[in-house]
Amino acid sequence: MIECRLAEASVLKKIVEALKDLVTDAAFEFSENGLQLQAMDSSHVSLCYLQLLSTGFEHFRCDKESSLGVSLPNLAKVLKCANNDDTLTLKAKDEPDVISLVFESKKQDCIKDFDMKLMDLEQEQLAIPDTEYKSKVTIPADEFRRIIADLQVLGDTCKITAEKAGVRFAVEGDVGKANITLKPGEAADEEGGKSVNIDVEEAVELRFALRYLNYFAKATPLAESVELSMSKDVPLLVEYKMGEIGAIQYYLAPKIDEEDEE
Amino acid sequence: MIECRLAEASVLKKIVEALKDLVTDAAFEFSENGLQLQAMDSSHVSLCYLQLLSTGFEHFRCDKESSLGVSLPNLAKVLKCANNDDTLTLKAKDEPDVISLVFESKKQDCIKDFDMKLMDLEQEQLAIPDTEYKSKVTIPADEFRRIIADLQVLGDTCKITAEKAGVRFAVEGDVGKANITLKPGEAADEEGGKSVNIDVEEAVELRFALRYLNYFAKATPLAESVELSMSKDVPLLVEYKMGEIGAIQYYLAPKIDEEDEE
Amino acid sequence: MIECRLAEASVLKKIVEALKDLVTDAAFEFSENGLQLQAMDSSHVSLCYLQLLSTGFEHFRCDKESSLGVSLPNLAKVLKCANNDDTLTLKAKDEPDVISLVFESKKQDCIKDFDMKLMDLEQEQLAIPDTEYKSKVTIPADEFRRIIADLQVLGDTCKITAEKAGVRFAVEGDVGKANITLKPGEAADEEGGKSVNIDVEEAVELRFALRYLNYFAKATPLAESVELSMSKDVPLLVEYKMGEIGAIQYYLAPKIDEEDEE
């Protein structure tokens, strides 16, 4: 039996919004430690990994490890019915056919419960490689989203260059060329600690499909800042840390296209 | 001759918004007591009834009972030109071809007048049965709209159950099952008297097409709360009371589909 | 070489938004006095004329008169990447292939630079006639936009009548007739000087295509008020003055259609 309660339904709402355009069906893996989800996008180019720790829940009970196959677009529809400050309780029996979601208003005068059908999903066990990254860049999440959205209008591929002096996002397309450079910030700190942080052991320059970066940026409402970790020839890691409760990680392989290289 | 002035054009604007998706052409019936409109939706499933009392107008003159056939989508276009705090004067001659709408800004520095063509409509005299309802439920109008919109994503038919303990809206569809329960409220009163009120002489459980409930909910901006009146085997009455000036009522027959009943 | 800096990138952003639906490709003409652009819309019905004075820039250098052919929709895409309070520097070499746009955040921690490809445009030298107008009407820009948008729903052609007593916009269509009358205002002055000003030497009544007036009204964010200048049988001038830096002017010939005249 599974029964776990989140103080704010809005957390799961934002998580599902951050995943549902990339992944349609996914298995929520419950264990006594919490809840995780691993999936590749439908074109098998990127991988996302969600981890929610049991300690981030108001109440967390999972008697037996279970994998619950869920349609994320359907789950999104159900979560839309929650008010942002409703509590959310997830419930499932052992060997369940359905997962129950119960939203309760703070005043307890409105209770919404949903039984959502589960799906049998083939388990693809994905090994996420443990990588030491040579470059880490932390930037305000909304600034990252904005940069990706802006550049996507101008081209398909973004070259990210991380150097001690700053991080640069470059794109080239029919309209022309664009470079957006963020410098590590002190000044920015004044506005509540949202600033650019550069931790570069070895400068890197990698090229990525903007389309996927744009999908990842849907996680923006979950965190103040986003961390980009890069090393030569290994996938980019884009991570949104959600305080106590856990994190969403996205992995994307760099583009290797010698002809396009300058 | 007809000449009547509303202090706020926005009232008629909201009324027409509340009707125009359900009814295309309708006759405004003017008499010395005020103005009313009765119409069935185009598929003849639901009925709506608008009543505006002459006492709710700043000025009301109607020398002779008249029925003015109006295209509601066209009237909506004209009303869009009004600012919300403009006054509105409706004018028509005896045996008119057009109805005039005059919007005046509070400062009188902007006057907008429209002559809208009238239509000949066949009069369908509808008898609204006088029913004693066994169950009445009053809920905040915006909460009702939200519930209907949420449930419509999950299915077509909503089962409404009114009991002393509360009112329940249930739906079942491909995604799964949903139940939304509202309990009669005291706590809610704190926030300005918007609360759930349950007056159940005899519990009822009836099934309705969400599509129509959703049309009715377009009247939400007209009233703080909505009253649902139900009895076994008679149409649901959904009523929005607009203070002094009148009310909009919608009637919808319950679905009778034995096979679907549990 | 050209190098000129605007304190606020948003000014050029709004200018391009005001032009790009009317004109696709246009030549920015740089000289030591500033920057101007003249173009007819693609159906050669209206003409727009932009003038930005060098004195309105923080810094303005133009060594040699140059005409830079630009795709306005592409320029709009690039300008969308600017934050409203970024500074904007425009740069070009002599005989350039590209124009560079550099956006810098006030804190200098984010720099966005774009090289946008230029186009060879055939120069059509347009002579803007110097006209003495018999009627000038100044109205709040947002009120003008609203009137045009409202009337466009009801018909295609707007009759503008300017008289000492006020200015009237009239339209006639399938729905009926509309008249919007603005009276010269004192009262309106209270709200920060936005009011209607009528300067009529000789009353005029002219008819214009609402479609084009609606395009012109896209310049609304650039100015508090708009000035309409009219005389019998000459094009209407619609002018948005942008303080120190310059103005946008639109010219539109009146409709002459005797059959439609009342």
Side-chain angles (χ1 to χ4, degrees), chain A residues 3-68:
Chain A
E3 186 171 307
C4 44
R5 188 164 66 236
L6 276 171
E8 312 240 308
S10 59
V11 173
L12 192 61
K13 207 176 192 173
K14 290 175 193 165
I15 289 171
V16 172
E17 289 302 317
L19 296 172
K20 78 176 213 297
D21 293 334
L22 205 56
V23 177
T24 312
D25 303 326
F28 283 93
E29 315 276 348
F30 286 83
S31 73
E32 56 179 358
N33 300 321
L35 160 56
Q36 63 174 48
L37 178 156
Q38 251 184 53
M40 298 201 77
D41 72 276
S42 52
S43 40
H44 283 239
V45 170
S46 66
L47 184 150
C48 60
Y49 175 59
L50 163 72
Q51 186 166 35
L52 299 180
L53 300 172
S54 61
T55 50
F57 287 75
E58 274 195 0
H59 167 78
F60 194 94
R61 175 179 165 187
C62 173
D63 300 340
K64 192 186 144 200
E65 289 195 13
S66 308
S67 169
L68 308 189

Side-chain angles (χ1 to χ4, degrees), chain B:
Chain B
M1 182 193 163
I2 292 165
E3 186 172 305
C4 45
R5 187 165 63 238
L6 275 171
E8 313 239 309
S10 60
V11 173
L12 191 62
K13 206 176 192 173
K14 290 176 194 165
I15 288 171
V16 172
E17 290 300 318
L19 296 173
K20 78 175 213 296
D21 294 334
L22 204 56
V23 178
T24 312
D25 302 327
F28 283 93
E29 315 275 346
F30 286 83
S31 72
E32 57 180 359
N33 301 322
L35 160 57
Q36 64 174 47
L37 179 155
Q38 251 185 53
M40 298 202 75
D41 71 277
S42 51
S43 40
H44 283 238
V45 171
S46 66
L47 184 149
C48 60
Y49 175 59
L50 164 72
Q51 187 166 35
L52 298 180
L53 301 172
S54 61
T55 50
F57 287 75
E58 273 194 0
H59 168 77
F60 195 94
R61 175 180 165 187
C62 173
D63 300 340
K64 192 186 143 200
E65 288 194 13
S66 309
S67 169
L68 308 190
V70 165
S71 150
L72 292 179
N74 282 352
L75 181 56
K77 283 182 192 174
V78 169
L79 286 163
K80 272 218 174 118
C81 301
N83 287 313
N84 284 338
D85 57 352
D86 284 354
T87 61
L88 163 59
T89 309
L90 297 170
K91 290 184 204 173
K93 295 179 191 163
D94 292 341
E95 317 298 338
D97 292 324
V98 296
I99 182 168
S100 300
L101 294 98
V102 183
F103 306 124
E104 285 167 277
S105 64
K106 290 286 183 253
K107 284 178 209 151
Q108 305 273 332
D109 55 354
C110 178
I111 296 167
K112 304 179 183 179
D113 66 87
F114 299 85
D115 282 351
M116 208 180 78
K117 289 173 193 163
L118 295 176
M119 312 162 74
D120 274 326
L121 293 181
E122 299 211 0
Q123 301 281 11
E124 11 169 18
Q125 211 46 45
L126 305 161
I128 294 175
D130 200 16
T131 309
E132 288 270 322
Y133 294 98
K134 299 292 188 183
S135 285
K136 288 194 185 186
V137 172
T138 309
I139 57 187
D142 50 4
E143 198 151 345
F144 178 67
R145 172 170 58 184
R146 174 78 196 277
I147 289 171
I148 298 306
D150 286 348
L151 293 183
Q152 210 181 357
V153 174
L154 303 173
D156 297 328
T157 302
C158 175
K159 188 169 71 186
I160 305 181
T161 310
E163 292 169 340
K164 283 197 194 329
V167 56
R168 193 166 68 247
F169 300 85
V171 85
E172 209 174 324
D174 294 341
V175 171
K177 279 193 275 191
N179 278 292
I180 298 183
T181 309
L182 298 177
K183 296 180 192 165
E186 293 163 279
D189 272 32
E190 293 161 25
E191 296 181 355
K194 286 175 70 178
S195 87
V196 174
N197 200 294
I198 310 271
D199 177 8
V200 170
E201 196 182 307
E202 195 180 295
V204 254
E205 182 168 292
L206 294 168
R207 298 162 74 250
F208 301 99
L210 278 163
R211 188 170 130 79
Y212 287 94
L213 298 179
N214 195 42
Y215 282 133
F216 304 165
K218 307 235 183 243
T220 301
L222 286 164
E224 281 288 285
S225 56
V226 56
E227 193 176 297
L228 311 182
S229 303
M230 292 177 284
S231 276
K232 196 164 184 295
D233 299 333
V234 303
L236 164 72
L237 162 59
V238 177
E239 181 168 16
Y240 293 86
K241 287 180 179 147
M242 302 177 275
E244 304 275 290
I245 196 174
I248 290 194
Q249 297 179 333
Y250 300 94
Y251 294 85
L252 178 64
K255 278 196 170 189
I256 301 155
D257 190 341
E258 306 239 326
E259 287 187 314
D260 286 7
E261 301 285 283
E262 287 115 312

Side-chain angles (χ1 to χ4, degrees), chain C residues 105-118:
Chain C
S105 65
K106 289 285 183 258
K107 284 179 209 150
Q108 307 273 334
D109 55 354
C110 177
I111 295 167
K112 304 179 182 179
D113 66 86
F114 299 84
D115 283 349
M116 208 180 79
K117 289 173 193 163
L118 294 176

Side-chain angles (χ1 to χ4, degrees), chain A residues 146 176-177 179 181 183, chain C residues 80 83 109 111 113 115 117:
Chain A
R146 174 78 196 277
K177 280 194 274 192
N179 278 292
T181 309
K183 296 180 192 166
Chain C
K80 273 221 174 115
N83 287 314
D109 55 354
I111 295 167
D113 66 86
D115 283 349
K117 289 173 193 163

Side-chain angles (χ1 to χ4, degrees), chain C residues 47 70 76 89 124 162 218 256:
Chain C
L47 183 150
V70 165
T89 308
E124 10 168 19
K218 309 237 182 240
I256 301 155

